[in-house]
Amino acid sequence: MGGAFLAAAVLARVGGRIGLPTIPLFILAGILLGPHTPGVVLVEDPHELEMLSALGLVLLLFYLGLEFSLDDLKAGGRKMVLAGTVYLILNVGAGLGFGLVLGWGFAEALVLAGVLGISSSAIVTKILVDLKRLESPETKTILGIIVVDDVFLALYLAALQPILSKADGMGAALMDGAKAFGFLLLLALVARFGTKVISWLMNTRDDELLVISFLGAAVFVAGVSDLFGVADAIGAFMVGLMLGGTTSGDRIRALVHPLRDAFGAIFFFAFGLSINPGDLPSVMWPVLAAVVLTIAMNMLSGIFSARVYGFGSLQAANISTTLTARGEFALILATMAAAAGLDERLSPFIAGYVLVLAVLAPLAAGRSHWLARILPVGRDKDKDPDQEKISVPA
């Protein structure tokens, strides 16, 4: 563990000197020091860091929830749903078509639809934090699309599981989807109407007790979410949504920072451990084609979202580049595909695809002004009129 932290820190410090973002460097540290690369091997089995990696994902999404209040959801309204739905139609539809064209099988095409269709909440969050864009006008649009994606994610996983396992039927899939959606709705209702009670429960002057309380709540609800077929990180996001509006919200945001940064680094390091560079050449061309397709669909989605919200070209470019990242959800699908005995090319394809976009997205997001010059969107605006009433936490 110490070696993992230090390796990630050294690479990040070196990369920071030349302007590289931390995410791909943490992943590179995992690749170089993992079991699939010659030389020093810090961790023989990537599963040894599985729990800590999961905690890193939970804390990243918990922090995202703290920064995204219910007022933001209400302010986004139909625009948020429209932008998120169009994003899904473009990306999931392109992923399904790409999978069918590859000819690896229909079940494989369904997996690829999810891999190419859903952005990485963890990497998107890290990009927004690293680039200090949490208060940018387009960030609420990005987070709104992520929320819509995550609701779809829960339903998609519930429907895909019985198809891959070739067990149960569509009735069971619909039941699992209804159960997942019902649990999300319950958490949303608690966040909407239970703020005073939650604020009273969390109220303490002792920072130690406050850390233990919010960490316990985030991890516990994440675990219960998993039991209901909802991604654990989404449960943590909902807890952050609940706590962000309490009287302790500002203190929680300050206290969770070091935890988020430390365990978030382990999440990306563990991701690197799972990648075998030797498998990548066999799927290089499909990976590059999928990357180009994803970039194109995200540009179209960014242009559409910018026009819906009245943004300019820079905001459209920020939306397009930030949401290009793919990560944890794709890796979950790779695990499901391997367990179901699907085409063996899926796992190296997903690993290569996610690695390329995990490196490319932060770099592109930091240089989005280059893309803004060529996007067919009107002049830049500092604010969206519908978002002027939104107060963003510091």
Side-chain angles (χ1 to χ4, degrees):
M1 275 297 301
F5 275 117
L6 289 174
V10 169
L11 277 177
R13 288 173 70 92
V14 172
R17 296 289 181 92
I18 56 176
L20 291 178
T22 58
I23 294 171
L25 296 170
F26 291 154
I27 295 173
L28 179 62
I31 294 174
L32 294 178
L33 299 174
H36 305 299
T37 306
V40 177
V41 177
L42 284 182
V43 183
E44 290 285 353
D45 183 2
H47 292 292
E48 292 178 7
L49 294 182
E50 190 170 19
M51 182 62 72
L52 292 174
S53 174
L55 182 57
L57 179 58
V58 163
L59 287 171
L60 282 167
L61 270 291
F62 173 70
Y63 180 79
L64 181 61
L66 287 172
E67 294 287 359
F68 194 75
S69 69
L70 280 174
D71 289 338
D72 299 337
L73 285 172
K74 290 167 62 179
R78 284 179 293 182
K79 287 185 178 181
M80 181 188 76
V81 174
L82 179 60
T85 301
V86 169
Y87 181 89
L88 287 171
I89 291 173
L90 288 172
N91 286 274
V92 175
L96 180 61
F98 179 79
L100 294 174
V101 169
L102 278 181
W104 292 355
F106 183 68
E108 287 80 358
L110 290 176
V111 171
L112 289 173
V115 171
L116 272 66
I118 306 295
S119 186
S120 168
S121 300
I123 297 179
V124 167
T125 305
K126 192 69 166 61
I127 290 172
L128 293 174
V129 171
D130 286 352
L131 297 180
K132 297 179 174 61
R133 289 183 181 167
L134 288 174
E135 296 187 28
S136 298
E138 74 280 358
T139 293
K140 297 307 174 185
T141 304
I142 293 171
L143 299 185
I145 292 174
I146 287 292
V147 169
V148 174
D149 279 4
D150 289 341
V151 173
F152 171 80
L153 182 155
L155 301 176
Y156 179 81
L157 280 179
L160 188 62
Q161 182 61 52
I163 295 174
L164 294 184
S165 64
K166 299 178 182 178
D168 302 324
M170 187 55 66
L174 292 175
M175 181 62 70
D176 288 343
K179 183 173 65 173
F181 184 77
F183 183 70
L184 283 173
L185 182 60
L186 175 62
L187 291 179
L189 291 173
V190 173
R192 175 66 180 86
F193 299 106
T195 304
K196 290 184 178 179
V197 175
I198 296 171
S199 184
W200 176 75
L201 290 173
M202 283 287 164
N203 187 34
T204 175
R205 295 182 178 179
D206 191 318
D207 284 349
E208 180 183 13
L209 292 179
L210 185 57
V211 169
I212 294 171
S213 298
F214 73 69
L215 186 60
V219 176
F220 179 77
V221 174
V224 175
S225 298
D226 190 60
L227 295 177
F228 278 89
V230 177
D232 50 7
I234 307 308
F237 172 86
M238 297 301 293
V239 175
L241 200 65
M242 297 175 195
L243 299 184
T246 65
T247 54
S248 303
D250 290 339
R251 289 174 59 209
I252 293 174
R253 272 184 281 273
L255 292 169
V256 78
H257 273 184
L259 294 171
R260 178 206 68 193
D261 292 342
F263 289 99
I266 292 299
F267 169 79
F268 295 111
F269 180 86
F271 171 39
L273 292 175
S274 67
I275 295 176
N276 184 353
D279 292 337
L280 301 182
S282 63
V283 291
M284 179 179 65
W285 293 114
V287 165
L288 293 178
V291 167
V292 171
L293 181 62
T294 299
I295 292 172
M297 292 302 103
N298 276 266
M299 286 176 62
L300 290 175
S301 174
I303 292 169
F304 177 84
S305 298
R307 289 182 173 174
V308 167
Y309 280 85
F311 291 148
S313 58
L314 181 57
Q315 286 78 26
N318 288 343
I319 295 170
S320 301
T321 54
T322 303
L323 289 171
T324 300
R326 299 294 185 267
E328 64 281 356
F329 179 54
L331 300 181
I332 292 171
L333 285 175
T335 302
M336 291 174 61
L342 299 186
D343 195 300
E344 62 183 13
R345 291 171 291 186
L346 270 179
S347 291
F349 169 85
I350 293 173
Y353 171 75
V354 171
L355 177 61
V356 171
L357 288 181
V359 172
L360 185 61
L363 292 172
R367 295 157 179 81
S368 57
H369 57 281
W370 294 351
L371 177 62
R373 298 171 185 170
I374 63 172
L375 290 183
V377 185
R379 65 184 180 84
D380 294 330
K381 298 181 180 181
D382 294 330
K383 288 186 177 181
D384 172 19
D386 289 339
Q387 293 183 342
E388 288 182 355
K389 297 180 181 179
I390 299 176
S391 59
V392 183

